[in-house]
Amino acid sequence: MSETDKLKETVEKLSEHEIQKIKLLKEISRLTEDAELAKINEMPLLYRMEIQKALDEYGENEIASKIVT
C-alpha cells in the first residue's frame, strides 16, 4: 500500500470518527432537551462537565450555560 493510500485511509477513518462524534453530540442535545435541568444539575460533576462541553460543541450555548459546573 502506498503512502498516499495510507493517508487516504487514515483521513477516511478520521471522517468516520467525526461523523460519529456529531451524532453523539446531537443525541446529547436531544436528550438534554427532554431532561429536566434540575435533574441534570444533580448529576455528578464529571457528567455535567461533559454534557456542558458537548452542548457547547454542538452550539447549544444557552442550555450549556444553565448547567452548574
Side-chain angles (χ1 to χ4, degrees):
M1 181 180 280
S2 72
E3 290 300 313
T4 304
D5 289 336
K6 288 179 185 176
L7 180 60
K8 288 165 93 176
E9 185 178 299
T10 305
V11 169
E12 288 170 5
K13 286 180 183 178
L14 178 62
S15 293
E16 290 171 10
H17 176 74
E18 287 299 316
I19 289 169
Q20 183 62 28
K21 182 178 178 180
I22 290 169
K23 287 179 181 179
L24 290 171
L25 293 174
K26 183 177 181 178
E27 180 70 5
I28 289 171
S29 176
R30 186 188 68 75
L31 291 170
T32 303
E33 287 176 5
D34 294 342
E36 294 178 37
L37 187 60
K39 294 284 186 186
I40 293 171
N41 283 325
E42 291 175 0
M43 297 174 86
L45 178 61
L46 180 61
Y47 288 95
R48 292 182 310 212
M49 289 173 63
E50 288 297 327
I51 292 168
Q52 189 176 50
K53 178 181 167 186
L55 291 171
D56 279 334
E57 284 187 48
Y58 195 65
E60 297 287 347
N61 302 342
E62 185 178 333
I63 298 169
S65 68
K66 294 178 182 176
I67 296 174
V68 179
T69 53

